[in-house]
Amino acid sequence: MNLHSQAPAAVPHAKKNIADLAIFGGEPAFRETLHVGRPNLSGRARLMSRIETMLDSHWLTNDGPLVREFEQQIAAVAGTRHAIATCSGTTALQLAIRGLGLRDEVILPSFTFIASAHALYWEGVTPVFADISERDYCIDPAQIEPLITPNTSAILPVHVYGQVCDVGAIAEIARRHDMPVLYDAAHAFGVTQGGKSIGGFGRASVFSFHATKFLHSSEGGAIVTDDDRLAKSLRSMRNFGFAGEDNVTSIGINGKMPEIAAAFGLTSLEEMDHVLSVNRRNYDEYCRQLTGIPGISGIRFAAEDKSNYQYVVIEIDAEAAGLDRDTLHRLISAEGVLVRRYFYPGCHRSEPYKSMSPGIAKRLPRTERAITRVLSLPTGLAITPVQIAALCGLIRFAVAHADEIRARIT
Ligand code: T4K
């Protein structure tokens, strides 16, 4: 049985006059709230069966059979020899940072979820923020080299929204400076570039399997790598540093994935193709419905990459649309669609980094531009083409009446 508790509610109603907009006191167009991060939940019977088996076995955590099976399957999809499952993507990042011996400074984009920077800082490493490229929202390789100092120990690029970084240029910089690349691939599970799986770049990559992700284990993450020594030490560090029943060989932590999370993860893996096809359908529908709206553009994925289409992101050009991103965000949210401004305000504008580098915004112009323009729209199994059409219709209506809306708001 497939779980579709996310079955579509009543058809959202269209707005005819601006007085009907919910920010002006009208009825919300969506009676049932739409969430950007609604977990993809299906395959309930298989999930329940795995949980029953787990209960029968009396094995709930500590490298159990479900975690081992999950790790094998993750490694197979990632195209790596090893996958080390963890209790979250953030913990996976922290373990990888420590396992790779990163210290002093690491270069990463500011345009990412705060966990990328926090994981470094938590491990005693100072994040050094580089700007993003014009091509996509990923780190610009040209901005990396000028930031490299004798204190730089690594590069931590992020495959933002599942778009693949310029891995070739980044590898070349890392080779020239003899430093490792650790990829934050939290958004990029299942993504390939030129037929090569996303796990195959850099010394290691980290996935997030948080509930809101394309593939999820309710909470969880993994580090994938081809480095046998690194994998062995990460496995030990994930389990308090144990290298045997009572032999502790390093500082470790409890970063283990529990069996119930692996049960979710294995079930989610079985549904991956289905989720991908629904995400792709939603993405195509958004592209179709948003075409021609002045000032609204959407991210495009390179034809040679296989994406997971987990994030549908639009950019709002306030001048052309007549409305800025924040007004549109307020307007849509009031109608019952909880769109998100990922990744506003950027790490460099969040504490503690904001206070550490006042004035840094000046050297991150593309990041500064992106944080004021992007909006993530809902996708996944919980959203239907009818809802997408209604949401895009709302955006079209708002842009068409931008002058009146602005006048009424201010
Ligand atoms: N690196 C990058 C680049 C990342 O994006 C992330 C996480 C990480 C590292 C760290 O990985 P983890 O340690 O998280 O595994 C969410 C997620 O919590 C986070 O995993 C994700 N990135 C980030 C981009 O988004 P929030 O604070 O926006 O989530 P929240 O709780 O506000 O949920 C978003 C929407 O989804 C809401 O409308 C509610 C809805 N929702 C959420 C959950 C959890 C549901 O409907 N059901 C649910 O169970 O961070």
Side-chain angles (χ1 to χ4, degrees), residues 35-39 88-90 93 112-113 115-116 158 184 186-187 208-213 219-220 311 338 340 342-343:
H35 293 270
V36 160
R38 205 48 139 191
S88 73
T90 306
L93 276 171
T112 178
F113 190 56
S116 314
V158 183
D184 181 335
H187 304 171
S208 163
F209 301 133
H210 180 258
T212 54
K213 294 290 187 285
E219 280 279 8
Y311 290 93
L338 299 188
R340 296 298 279 262
Y342 296 130
F343 292 98

Side-chain angles (χ1 to χ4, degrees), residues 7-169:
V11 175
H13 62 88
K15 301 288 167 176
K16 295 207 170 56
N17 305 298
I18 69 159
D20 296 337
L21 289 168
I23 40 164
F24 299 134
E27 277 286 300
F30 293 78
R31 251 173 257 129
E32 195 175 305
T33 308
L34 287 191
H35 293 270
V36 160
R38 205 48 139 191
N40 292 314
L41 289 176
S42 56
R44 182 188 281 219
R46 285 190 303 279
L47 173 65
M48 291 309 185
S49 150
R50 286 194 169 98
I51 292 173
E52 293 286 354
T53 310
M54 176 193 82
L55 294 175
D56 289 344
S57 75
H58 288 246
W59 197 282
L60 304 186
T61 185
N62 288 13
D63 222 8
L66 294 175
V67 165
R68 282 170 182 243
E69 188 186 344
F70 186 56
E71 289 182 331
Q72 272 174 14
Q73 294 198 29
I74 294 302
V77 176
T80 53
R81 274 210 297 281
H82 306 281
I84 298 96
T86 57
C87 53
S88 73
T90 306
T91 311
L93 276 171
Q94 288 176 246
L95 286 167
I97 289 161
R98 201 168 265 259
L100 287 166
L102 307 191
R103 49 171 177 75
D104 300 332
E105 295 177 358
V106 166
I107 298 170
L108 76 162
S110 169
F111 192 71
T112 178
F113 190 56
I114 197 68
S116 314
H118 277 356
L120 285 167
Y121 205 53
W122 198 275
E123 293 302 321
V125 179
T126 304
V128 176
F129 299 116
D131 208 359
I132 50 175
S133 80
E134 247 163 15
R135 183 183 77 124
D136 49 32
Y137 298 95
C138 300
I139 195 166
D140 179 1
Q143 305 296 318
I144 295 175
E145 218 150 14
L147 296 173
I148 293 178
T149 72
N151 291 331
T152 310
S153 63
I155 309 167
L156 175 56
V158 183
H159 299 300
V160 177
Y161 306 142
Q163 299 184 106
V164 184
C165 295
D166 188 346
V167 288

Side-chain angles (χ1 to χ4, degrees), residues 158-403:
V158 183
H159 299 300
V160 177
Y161 306 142
Q163 299 184 106
V164 184
C165 295
D166 188 346
V167 288
I170 293 168
E172 182 48 32
I173 296 167
R175 190 195 58 74
R176 272 203 300 277
H177 294 272
D178 191 22
M179 59 179 62
V181 181
L182 168 62
Y183 277 102
D184 181 335
H187 304 171
F189 189 75
V191 170
T192 66
Q193 190 193 54
K196 186 170 175 178
S197 183
I198 201 77
F201 306 111
R203 280 280 295 286
S205 297
V206 161
F207 297 121
S208 163
F209 301 133
H210 180 258
T212 54
K213 294 290 187 285
F214 168 64
L215 179 92
H216 79 88
S217 59
S218 71
E219 280 279 8
I223 308 143
V224 293
T225 182
D226 281 327
D227 183 328
D228 299 343
R229 280 240 304 260
L230 177 64
K232 193 173 172 206
S233 79
L234 290 171
R235 282 191 186 287
S236 164
M237 280 164 49
R238 176 186 66 173
N239 185 28
F240 311 102
F242 276 107
E245 196 175 298
D246 43 22
N247 182 24
V248 174
T249 56
S250 65
I251 300 178
I253 196 167
N254 183 352
K256 292 166 285 167
M257 173 179 276
E259 287 289 275
I260 193 151
F264 267 109
L266 286 163
T267 310
S268 185
L269 270 165
E270 286 165 352
E271 297 299 316
M272 202 167 78
D273 289 345
H274 174 53
V275 174
L276 177 61
S277 71
V278 172
N279 278 358
R280 179 65 209 246
R281 177 205 69 190
N282 290 350
Y283 171 78
D284 289 343
E285 190 61 20
Y286 273 117
C287 290
R288 215 167 60 76
Q289 297 278 349
L290 291 170
T291 299
I293 306 182
I296 307 290
S297 57
I299 53 166
R300 301 267 165 198
F301 294 94
E304 67 273 21
D305 301 344
K306 179 184 154 210
S307 181
N308 57 29
Y309 300 95
Q310 178 188 298
Y311 290 93
V312 175
V313 182
I314 57 169
E315 255 204 42
I316 295 107
D317 172 347
E319 214 173 295
L323 290 175
D324 61 24
R325 188 274 315 271
D326 289 344
T327 305
L328 201 58
H329 176 228
R330 267 180 61 203
L331 188 146
I332 296 172
S333 303
E335 299 293 346
V337 186
L338 299 188
V339 290
R340 296 298 279 262
R341 296 177 290 181
Y342 296 130
F343 292 98
Y344 173 83
C347 298
H348 69 290
R349 287 185 176 274
S350 307
E351 295 296 357
Y353 319 110
K354 185 174 151 187
S355 301
M356 282 160 61
S357 336
I360 188 186
K362 278 195 224 87
R363 66 166 181 75
L364 302 174
R366 293 189 199 122
T367 305
E368 284 285 298
R369 183 181 142 99
I371 59 175
T372 61
R373 291 165 65 113
V374 290
L375 206 53
S376 291
L377 308 180
T379 187
L381 300 186
I383 182 152
T384 66
V386 171
Q387 290 167 321
I388 292 172
L391 174 54
C392 296
L394 181 63
I395 296 171
R396 190 178 291 277
F397 178 86
V399 171
H401 296 84
D403 292 345

